[in-house]
Amino acid sequence: MKTTLDEQELEQIFQQRIDNEQKIEPKDWMPEAYRKNLLRQISQHAHSEVIGMQPERNFLTRAPSLRRKAVLLSKIQDEGGHGLYLYSAAETLGTPRSELIEALQSGAAKYASIFNYPTQTWGDVGAIGWLVDGAAIVNQVSLQRTSYGPYARGMIRICKEESFHQRQGYEIMIALAQGSEAQKQMAQDSLNRFYWPSLMMFGPHDSESAHSARSMKWKIKRETNDDLRQKFIDQTVPQIMFLGLEHPDKEIRWNEQRQHYDHGEIDWDEFNAVINGNGHCNRQRMEHHLRAHEEGTWVRDAMTAYKEKQRKREVQVA
Amino acid sequence: MSDEDLKQATLDYTLRLGDDALVLGQRISEWVSNGPFLEEDIAYGNVALDYIGRARMYYGYAAELAADGRSEDDFAYLRSEREFRNYLINELPRGDFAYSQVRQLLVDQFNTAFLDRLVESRDATLAAIAAKGIKETRYHLRRSREWVLRLGDGTAESRRRAQKGLDDLWGYTHELFEPDALEQRLAKAGIGVDTAALKSQWQQAVAATLGEATLNLPQEDWAVRGGRTGYHTEYLGHLLGELQSIYRSYPGCRW
């Protein structure tokens, strides 16, 4: 009689659970490729939260009212917090945070390309909240049903905070759009610069996406890149209209038959350039991260040394 | 003191307290995404947020007292370097992590004693702001105290840096305990706090932490003063230049 299941049988049971919408938990058996794929996605998401603090931080010391400063501080803090939950979710797959951060710093792991665009005006802070967080939410709402338990639960928590972020961003845009001529121009300019990169956040077309098919089968991803992107395009049109701004996509048209907006094509050369490290801020983002990390080495060492001394003192007392 | 004088004095005093909170909050916020690890980015952001919140409450009250149409933002964004009345220690650059944490210890220990008295102010608004602030400050102090212990009693390098930070900051602590005529008057009126009376308590508490952290209490007798008269270091102008740049570039706009 056979006492252990072979790989193939385990995989069948695993797929069965996924098909039945049961969550996979850290101690459950999972195919190595599932683990790797998830780790790649969750850590990329965590790194994005952390690197994403940089472009917003750029306006923290200049926020044009104390209220805006307080809101922005609390938003950036939330993002750091999201980074923490996500690193913890990734750690449940057996890789410690220090290794994940090393992978980010060596370039082996990626973060969302959108954060390689510079924030130049206060309007960009609004556009990031509205469009970038808005696009992230579309994706994350769908990930609340992802098959890996810790990731799905993390997403539920993160989505709540992200919708607050999107509202604060849109509120900044409303204030600008209803403000002086210069403020309106600022709003339009930020929309123009952040619209297309936000669409790129959903990744390549489904036909070009390297990881899509298997991720769908394993329900790591629940909807395709193009479907999610379409959702975002559709929801953004009335928001732009409400602001009284001009749509950056000249080909945007309602398609009665599809019940969706038709739209112009993304500049995929730009997309690839930024992904491959050649965007506006790729180098600065990584340098900033590395510098802070290296400058913090002696602090982390001191913490370890202190903890060790405390431990020894406790042993002596005991 | 006439009622009108008292009101003006209370307004000036409230602005001083608002300036302390804003300037230090602005400085601390510079740590966000610059900390030694993610938890510290978040913690510093949190402390900065408490200070900015406190500045808003003080300036909001100042706007009420001034009753001339100026808003909390006008106080923060439209006054110049010479008009700011914060203690100098709050405007010094963030330095390294040890310098920042030692400053926090010195200031948190001061604020703990200060707010603990201000909650008894005859002025109900100042008392209410202090009541909220003291809860935050007790938490800030717990954090800065723990960090000073870790850094002082950590490695040789962290100890050297913490001692250097302490030596460089010490001379800026004296003015915290030297109330001017306005502050003395308000203390007598039961509105403000006589900070001179807080000094020995502060010194004892700080000395105890430094001792535990194996750091030496600075003996050198130097002091730089001027915050309460608007006689600032060269750093404040740059801090305000950055803080106020957008607000001043678009006069009269709402954000």
Side-chain angles (χ1 to χ4, degrees):
Chain A
M1 206 178 75
K2 201 168 65 169
T3 51
T4 52
L5 299 169
D6 64 30
E7 188 94 348
Q8 210 182 350
E9 287 167 311
L10 285 166
E11 196 152 347
Q12 267 172 11
I13 296 168
F14 171 81
Q15 189 62 47
Q16 193 72 53
R17 291 189 60 183
I18 292 201
D19 294 343
N20 293 338
E21 294 291 330
Q22 282 175 305
K23 295 283 178 239
I24 306 300
E25 296 299 335
K27 292 208 168 84
D28 295 341
W29 184 89
M30 59 187 87
E32 218 25 59
Y34 175 85
R35 184 187 301 275
K36 262 179 83 175
N37 199 332
L38 257 178
L39 191 66
R40 182 185 57 79
Q41 187 171 329
I42 301 176
S43 68
Q44 179 171 331
H45 192 164
H47 300 326
S48 302
E49 297 281 358
V50 172
I51 299 294
M53 293 164 78
Q54 290 184 33
E56 295 190 304
R57 180 213 177 270
N58 187 32
F59 275 88
L60 201 44
T61 50
R62 290 178 287 168
S65 77
L66 293 181
R67 178 171 166 267
R68 293 285 179 213
K69 190 190 283 290
V71 172
L72 187 58
L73 258 171
S74 115
K75 176 179 195 277
I76 300 176
Q77 225 185 310
D78 284 350
E79 269 142 19
H82 297 172
L84 283 182
Y85 311 153
L86 288 161
Y87 282 128
S88 309
E91 283 188 320
T92 64
L93 292 162
T95 305
R97 186 164 126 198
S98 54
E99 274 179 42
L100 300 172
I101 291 175
E102 273 170 38
L104 169 69
Q105 292 175 346
S106 73
K110 301 253 186 268
Y111 57 88
S113 280
I114 188 77
F115 301 120
N116 292 315
Y117 290 85
T119 47
Q120 293 176 271
T121 69
W122 177 249
D124 294 355
V125 176
I128 287 184
W130 168 35
L131 299 171
V132 175
D133 291 336
I137 294 170
V138 169
N139 192 24
Q140 288 162 4
V141 163
S142 133
L143 287 174
Q144 294 180 53
R145 296 185 299 123
T146 190
S147 58
Y148 188 57
Y151 193 27
R153 290 188 287 274
M155 280 302 123
I156 292 170
R157 214 169 142 180
I158 287 174
C159 276
K160 283 187 194 144
E161 291 178 354
E162 287 292 351
S163 57
F164 152 75
H165 296 171
Q166 193 193 11
R167 277 205 301 278
Q168 72 85 34
Y170 196 59
E171 206 191 78
I172 290 175
M173 297 305 283
I174 292 176
L176 295 177
Q178 295 177 350
S180 70
E181 206 40 54
Q183 286 178 303
K184 264 179 238 168
Q185 272 175 27
M186 190 189 275
Q188 183 68 57
D189 173 52
S190 298
L191 169 60
N192 294 348
R193 279 183 291 113
F194 277 90
Y195 181 76
W196 291 104
S198 304
L199 298 191
M200 295 179 199
M201 287 173 67
F202 296 95
H205 283 312
D206 300 337
S207 52
E208 312 279 321
S209 177
H211 306 283
S212 262
R214 204 166 51 181
S215 292
M216 293 289 286
K217 178 177 164 231
W218 281 336
K219 297 188 181 173
I220 293 175
K221 276 171 82 157
R222 302 302 307 247
E223 290 173 83
T224 69
N225 294 354
D226 286 327
D227 286 349
L228 291 166
R229 181 162 28 235
Q230 182 71 56
K231 231 180 236 186
F232 177 72
I233 289 170
D234 291 348
Q235 79 177 33
T236 305
V237 170
Q239 293 170 346
I240 294 174
M241 269 165 43
F242 179 81
L243 292 173
L245 299 177
E246 217 174 283
H247 202 296
D249 182 353
K250 301 299 164 233
E251 294 172 46
I252 201 96
R253 298 268 180 293
W254 178 249
N255 182 324
E256 191 59 34
Q257 201 184 352
R258 288 204 310 129
Q259 288 291 303
H260 287 295
Y261 281 94
D262 290 339
H263 52 87
E265 193 51 87
I266 287 170
D267 180 351
W268 294 108
D269 290 340
E270 178 184 320
F271 174 85
N272 287 320
V274 183
I275 291 256
N276 291 325
N278 299 320
H280 218 310
C281 303
N282 296 57
R283 284 167 184 79
Q284 289 93 320
R285 296 293 184 241
M286 206 36 64
E287 268 167 30
H288 181 111
H289 187 80
L290 277 168
R291 184 190 43 71
H293 188 77
E294 280 162 14
E295 282 175 8
T297 305
W298 68 267
V299 180
R300 297 189 297 275
D301 290 348
M303 234 168 95
T304 312
Y306 181 74
K307 220 181 275 171
E308 184 57 21
K309 285 185 190 173
Q310 289 287 80
R311 198 186 57 79
K312 280 191 184 143
R313 281 191 279 253
E314 275 162 28
V315 169
Q316 272 174 5
V317 172
Chain B
M1 208 169 11
S2 74
D3 281 0
E4 208 37 54
D5 285 347
L6 194 65
K7 195 172 166 192
Q8 182 59 46
T10 308
L11 168 60
D12 291 345
Y13 188 63
T14 304
L15 283 175
R16 293 176 176 196
L17 302 180
D19 293 348
D20 282 328
L22 176 63
V23 168
L24 186 58
Q26 175 82 356
R27 263 305 172 227
I28 299 172
S29 77
E30 293 173 11
W31 275 104
V32 173
S33 100
N34 279 312
F37 46 92
L38 189 50
E39 283 83 346
E40 281 308 304
D41 283 350
I42 298 173
Y44 259 127
N46 205 353
V47 176
L49 185 57
D50 287 341
Y51 274 105
I52 299 301
R54 202 175 296 175
R56 293 187 64 195
M57 289 190 281
Y58 284 127
Y59 289 145
Y61 183 43
E64 209 179 290
L65 290 169
D68 56 5
R70 276 183 294 176
S71 67
E72 60 174 40
D73 287 334
D74 292 337
F75 288 117
Y77 290 91
L78 294 180
R79 286 182 309 136
S80 69
E81 189 178 342
R82 298 280 291 141
E83 293 168 284
F84 267 71
R85 290 290 184 272
N86 57 281
Y87 290 128
L88 302 179
I89 194 168
N90 295 320
E91 72 200 40
L92 297 171
R94 76 182 153 99
D96 67 9
F97 190 78
Y99 182 90
S100 265
Q101 288 296 2
V102 170
R103 168 177 33 203
Q104 287 312 117
L105 174 75
L106 302 174
V107 173
D108 292 342
Q109 197 75 62
F110 171 76
N111 280 337
T112 306
F114 177 83
L115 293 170
D116 215 26
R117 300 287 168 88
L118 192 64
V119 292
E120 288 159 14
S121 172
R122 239 169 21 83
D123 183 299
T125 309
L126 289 179
I129 297 171
K132 182 167 187 297
I134 186 73
K135 288 183 203 141
E136 298 161 352
T137 292
R138 286 201 184 107
Y139 157 78
H140 298 168
L141 176 62
R142 210 171 69 199
R143 186 177 116 79
S144 55
R145 196 178 167 280
E146 277 169 15
W147 266 116
V148 169
L149 295 181
R150 281 188 203 125
L151 297 177
D153 195 17
T155 61
E157 180 176 10
S158 69
R159 187 180 182 286
R160 179 184 62 73
R161 287 175 184 261
Q163 186 66 54
K164 171 144 187 7
L166 181 62
D167 293 343
D168 290 345
L169 285 159
W170 195 251
Y172 294 94
T173 60
H174 303 286
E175 69 169 354
L176 304 177
F177 307 100
E178 297 167 356
D180 65 2
L182 178 134
E183 289 173 348
Q184 287 171 3
R185 240 167 48 215
L186 284 174
K188 273 197 196 104
I191 291 172
V193 175
D194 174 14
T195 59
L198 307 177
K199 187 157 190 175
S200 67
Q201 175 195 352
W202 177 86
Q203 247 171 352
Q204 270 176 23
V206 167
T209 302
L210 296 180
E212 205 184 322
T214 74
L215 294 169
N216 303 322
L217 198 67
Q219 298 301 325
E220 261 186 274
D221 197 19
W222 65 281
V224 178
R225 305 175 164 89
R228 291 297 195 234
T229 58
Y231 188 46
H232 289 283
T233 67
E234 290 179 351
Y235 304 112
L236 183 67
H238 294 278
L239 179 144
L240 293 178
E242 191 173 340
L243 182 127
Q244 300 176 337
S245 61
I246 299 177
Y247 194 85
R248 286 188 185 239
S249 300
Y250 299 87
C253 284
R254 290 174 164 278
W255 301 92

